[in-house]
Amino acid sequence: VRRLNMSLIPRSAYSGYPTYWALSAGAQNIQTHQLFIKYSFTAIGSVDSATLKADIASMPYDTENAPILAYLLSLLAAFEAVQ
């Protein structure tokens, strides 16, 4: 029986779930952001995609907004997956 040398397999530098959003260790806390609060109590299938897209479109694409944008873009992908 031939065994695979596990030390030769490259390991991913990220953690969390690769498909959907997960807050990385040391990342900015977004739980108090108004858009996180707005969408965190909404079932994925009940999201108004037009409003979500408008909220995403209105945000500057910069390092300050990167954590909330990652959350919102993942939410949009999850919504589209259930449609």
Side-chain angles (χ1 to χ4, degrees):
V1 173
R2 190 171 178 185
R3 297 199 183 263
L4 181 62
N5 183 347
M6 296 301 283
S7 66
L8 298 177
I9 297 175
R11 301 205 177 185
S12 176
Y14 67 89
S15 63
Y17 301 96
T19 304
Y20 297 107
W21 176 84
L23 190 61
S24 301
Q28 174 186 348
N29 184 351
I30 64 165
Q31 293 178 331
T32 57
H33 193 285
Q34 64 183 0
L35 290 175
F36 179 84
I37 294 167
K38 176 179 179 177
Y39 290 106
S40 66
F41 295 103
T42 305
I44 292 171
S46 299
V47 170
D48 179 358
S49 65
T51 302
L52 177 56
K53 288 177 183 179
D55 286 338
I56 292 169
S58 70
M59 299 183 74
Y61 192 70
D62 58 19
T63 56
E64 183 177 330
N65 290 318
I68 192 65
L69 282 170
Y71 170 75
L72 296 174
L73 290 168
S74 178
L75 177 60
L76 181 59
F79 171 79
E80 291 174 350
V82 299
Q83 295 306 302

